[in-house]
Amino acid sequence: MSSEILKVEGIRKSFDGEEILRGISLNVREGEVLAVIGPSGSGKSTLLRCISQLETVDSGMISICGKVLVKNGPEGKAVYADRNTRREIGRHVGLVFQNFNLFPHHTVLRNIADAPVRVLRKSRREAEEAARALLEKMDLSEKADAYPCQLSGGQQQRVSIARALAMNPDILFFDEPTSALDPELTGEILKVMRGLAAEHMTMVVVTHEMKFAHDVADHVVFMDGGSVLEDGTPDELFSHTKNERTRAFLTRFNENS
Amino acid sequence: MNYQVLLEEMLTATVMSLRIFFFTLIFALPLGMLVALGRMSRHPVIHLPVRFYILIMRGTPLMLQLLFMFYALKPLFGIQLERVMAAQVAFALNYAAYFAEIYRGGLESIPAGQLEAARVLGYTRSQTFFHIVLPQVVKRIIPPMGNEFITLVKDTSLAQVIGVVELLKVTSQWVSSAVDMTPLVIAGVFYLAMNGVVTRAFTAAENRLSYYR
């Protein structure tokens, strides 16, 4: 049995008195792909942002690679680990954004190799060699010296995946990685992600691509209104769901696509 | 009119104008960044005084600030700055306020997503500021900064109200003592020449940074 990489228990998060996450629990084991689906505003992105430390939770427990990021204190409020532990946990995690968020003033190669140099203290040569290997893998070798503005959206997203991979994360999060792309470019990104899944990269993917969730994920979570309504294998969710709300969402989804 | 003496005096005075110009930049450029960061602080204890400072600096005449710096510090605090120093300090404090607002515009134009990307990658706050944010801010603020630099070249002439002998002061002395307009033309040419250099420098900087959008 492979080890647990991500464990989330009962996390809650409110913005301005409105509860966005109402007690979410998840488990992701090494090499697993978890797809998180659900309507817009259901809290999927907030969940990822809490796990990757871009937001803080109000209560609940998150542990990554066996290290506790946050847990409930005696009063039931979230107590975070100290700064060094938080940083250490951050190193296990990679995040790919919907809008790529590449650094426009750096070349493609620098976008990928800069963080390993500055954060992991690798030598520039070593980092750039690794970056070139990643570009090769992303089928972008000839774009090493280009700037992000010279690339298509799909190419930019592949660079941002390479940038995340360059940090050697133990788990990679994707926040609607294809939502800013047209169908053709979407296919290009999904292909890369299928490749990563085949290499047993541990991933949590927030997505509206039901086919991808169905084909690639080991587990699918359906979220609505800040709660996990259903959690199961793709087959259980997509073909044999017992949950009314899940069925309604999937039906509407199939009608529209 | 002795043109050789005229030119010598005008050149010496130009050196004084340039001295004020460079002193102001050296101090106001970094100070402006501190003011901008203070202005953007979430803590009222920091951003309220900074906003008040910006209000005073932009809301009162620079000439008044020059007079204040030279005449008012003595009765108020017992400090008497020498003329040129008083002028330089007044200019630096005034321009820092304008630079701060330009920096703020540049800083706020950097998409939050880039800061988040840097954070998830593990960059420290200072790495993010110096390697991700600042290079992009520099590019974005070049056009408004060009305006300020050009205005500063001309504003140095205000220093004469506290007795600093700069280019326009010397010029007006020559014009009023002899009925000859030549010094005015020469002064105009000098200012144009200085701003020609400033403009070229800014165009060059803009071109150097045009490799990305």
Side-chain angles (χ1 to χ4, degrees), chain A residues 49 53-54 87 95 97 101-106 114-115 118-119 121 147 149 163 167, chain B residues 113-114 116-124 127 131-133 135-136 140 211-213:
Chain A
R49 292 172 60 83
Q53 299 187 50
L54 290 175
R87 255 186 99 69
L95 176 60
F97 297 85
N101 290 330
L102 293 175
F103 304 129
H105 59 306
H106 286 165
D114 198 59
R118 291 194 200 284
V119 179
R121 305 271 162 218
Y147 286 88
C149 63
R163 179 175 70 175
M167 299 300 283
Chain B
Q114 281 193 43
E116 294 181 346
R119 219 164 109 193
V120 173
L121 286 167
Y123 286 93
T124 63
Q127 283 173 332
H131 300 296
I132 309 294
V133 175
Q136 298 184 64
R140 289 176 194 218
Y211 61 87
Y212 74 91
R213 262 186 296 129

Side-chain angles (χ1 to χ4, degrees), chain B residues 152-163:
Chain B
L152 176 57
V153 167
K154 297 176 291 182
D155 272 358
T156 54
S157 60
L158 292 173
Q160 63 181 276
V161 296
I162 52 172

Side-chain angles (χ1 to χ4, degrees), chain A residues 9 24 48 57 64-65 90 120 125 142 153 188 192 206 224 226 239 244-245:
Chain A
E9 266 176 22
I24 304 275
L48 275 199
V57 299
I64 292 170
C65 295
L120 302 180
R125 238 185 82 193
E142 75 288 4
E188 178 179 315
V192 169
V206 168
D224 192 19
S239 313
E244 260 323 295
R245 188 68 192 87

